C-alpha cells in the first residue's frame, strides 16, 4: 500500500499548457516533498513543504512551479506553461517523522509534454 | 565533484552471487545515508538506512565510512528478484530532509 497516492498516474499535455499533479497522504503528515526524475537520469529534489509553507526549494523550482495544500488534504504541484523538458516522473514524498526521518515516495505521476 | 557518485553498472551476476556497490559523497556535513531500490519506471523504495556502525538486514549489509565519505551495499546470495537499480542517497541536512540521489547502479541477476 503506497504511503501517498498520486494522481494522475500519467498525463500527456501540450507544450505551453498548465498541469496540476496531486498527492494525497494516507494519514495526516506535515512534511511533504516533490522530486522529479527525467527518464534515464537521477532523482532530483524540487521542493519541501512544511506546515503549509515552502521550507526549501531547489534551483529547478523556478517561477514556473508552485505548490500548495488548498484543502488541508491534497498537496498539489502546479507547472505553468509546460516545456518539453518538463517531461519526467514527478514523485510526491512524505517524512515518517521519526528520528531517522525516512522519506517514502508515492508511485509517481508520469508527465509527457508534446 | 558530483554530490553523490555511483558506478552506473550494469552489474551482471548469476543467482547466488555476492555483489557489492560503492558510493562516494562530497559533502562532509551530510548526516543521513540510505540505499533505495528502484524498479523500472517505479518509485524509489527504501532498502535500508546506513549507520556509522554498519548494519545488516538479511542478505543486505550496508557500511559507512565518514572519513572517506564512502558508502557501500553488499548483497549476498543474489536472487532474480534483486534485479533493479540501487540508489545511493544522502541527506544534506539543510534543516529539512533534502535527499540527494546518485544516478544509481543497475543490477541484473541471471539464472
Amino acid at each position: 500500500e503506497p504511503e501517498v497516492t498520486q494522481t494522475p498516474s500519467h498525463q500527456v499535455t501540450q507544450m505551453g499548457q498548465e498541469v496540476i499533479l496531486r498527492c494525497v497522504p494516507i494519514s495526516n503528515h506535515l512534511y511533504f516533498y516533490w522530486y522529479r526524475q527525467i527518464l534515464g537520469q537521477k532523482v532530483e529534489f524540487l521542493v519541501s513543504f512544511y506546515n503549509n509553507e515552502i521550507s526549501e526549494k531547489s534551483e529547478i523550482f523556478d517561477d514556473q512551479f508552485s505548490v500548495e495544500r488548498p484543502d488541508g488534504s491534497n498537496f498539489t504541484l502546479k507547472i505553468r506553461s509546460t516545456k518539453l523538458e518538463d517531461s519526467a516522473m514527478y514523485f510526491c514524498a512524505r517524512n515518517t517523522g521519526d528520528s531517522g526521518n525516512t522519506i517514502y515516495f508515492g508511485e509517481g505521476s508520469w508527465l509527457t509534454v508534446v | 565533484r558530483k554530490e553523490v557518485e555511483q558506478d552506473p553498472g550494469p552489474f551482471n551476476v548469476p543467482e547466488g552471487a555476492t555483489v557489492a556497490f560503492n558510493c562516494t559523497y562530497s559533502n562532509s556535513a551530510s548526516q543521513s545515508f540510505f540505499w533505495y531500490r528502484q524498479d523500472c519506471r517505479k518509485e524509489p523504495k527504501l532498502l535500508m538506512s546506513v549507520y556509522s556502525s554498519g548494519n545488516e538486514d538479511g542478505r543486505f549489509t550496508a557500511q559507512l565510512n565518514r572519513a572517506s565519505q564512502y558508502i557501500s551495499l553488499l548483497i549476498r546470495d543474489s536472487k532474480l528478484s534483486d534485479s533493479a537499480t540501487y540508489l545511493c542517497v544522502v541527506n544534506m541536512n539543510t534543516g529539512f530532509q533534502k535527499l540527494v540521489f546518485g544516478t544509481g547502479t543497475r543490477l541484473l541477476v541471471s539464472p
Side-chain angles (χ1 to χ4, degrees):
Chain A
E1 185 178 354
E3 298 290 333
V4 293
T5 300
Q6 289 188 241
T7 57
S9 57
H10 188 192
Q11 182 164 350
V12 180
T13 189
Q14 289 201 326
M15 197 166 50
Q17 296 297 304
E18 177 180 283
V19 165
I20 296 177
L21 307 178
R22 292 182 173 81
C23 172
V24 181
I26 301 298
S27 55
N28 190 26
H29 290 277
L30 295 177
Y31 301 84
F32 295 95
Y33 308 83
W34 283 101
Y35 286 78
R36 82 170 184 189
Q37 186 175 29
I38 295 170
L39 187 62
Q41 298 186 23
K42 65 179 182 178
V43 178
E44 300 174 292
F45 169 79
L46 291 179
V47 64
S48 58
F49 194 78
Y50 168 69
N51 205 22
N52 297 322
E53 291 185 353
I54 290 176
S55 54
E56 186 165 353
K57 58 184 181 180
S58 71
E59 293 175 353
I60 303 169
F61 196 87
D62 58 21
D63 292 342
Q64 185 193 4
F65 296 88
S66 62
V67 290
E68 61 179 4
R69 201 175 184 193
D71 55 8
S73 176
N74 289 332
F75 176 49
T76 64
L77 174 68
K78 183 186 292 185
I79 310 174
R80 289 179 284 274
S81 188
T82 49
K83 301 176 286 216
L84 295 177
E85 53 265 38
D86 294 327
S87 295
M89 182 76 96
Y90 289 81
F91 295 108
C92 176
R94 68 161 186 90
N95 258 42
T96 56
D98 58 19
S99 59
N101 271 318
T102 308
I103 291 182
Y104 291 92
F105 291 83
E107 294 180 331
S109 294
W110 181 249
L111 174 65
T112 302
V113 182
V114 297
Chain B
R1 183 178 175 183
K2 291 182 182 178
E3 290 182 293
V4 179
E5 196 153 6
Q6 294 182 254
D7 181 341
F11 283 47
N12 291 287
V13 302
E15 266 188 295
T18 296
V19 61
F21 303 136
N22 303 318
C23 167
T24 56
Y25 60 96
S26 61
N27 189 336
S28 60
S30 300
Q31 294 298 312
S32 308
F33 309 89
F34 309 91
W35 284 100
Y36 279 75
R37 170 197 168 125
Q38 187 174 33
D39 293 293
C40 189
R41 300 218 177 189
K42 298 289 188 180
E43 76 275 21
K45 291 185 177 178
L46 179 68
L47 182 64
M48 58 197 305
S49 301
V50 188
Y51 304 112
S52 297
S53 55
N55 47 301
E56 186 175 312
D57 183 2
R59 299 182 292 110
F60 300 86
T61 301
Q63 296 278 350
L64 167 64
N65 184 323
R66 285 187 182 271
S68 302
Q69 294 177 207
Y70 171 92
I71 307 163
S72 66
L73 176 68
L74 184 76
I75 305 176
R76 290 182 297 278
D77 189 22
S78 300
K79 312 290 185 192
L80 295 176
S81 57
D82 293 334
S83 296
T85 298
Y86 290 83
L87 308 175
C88 178
V89 184
V90 174
N91 177 20
M92 307 304 284
N93 199 34
T94 56
F96 291 94
Q97 303 304 304
K98 178 187 173 185
L99 300 183
V100 179
F101 285 76
T103 52
T105 300
R106 191 169 174 208
L107 173 65
L108 300 172
V109 181
S110 53

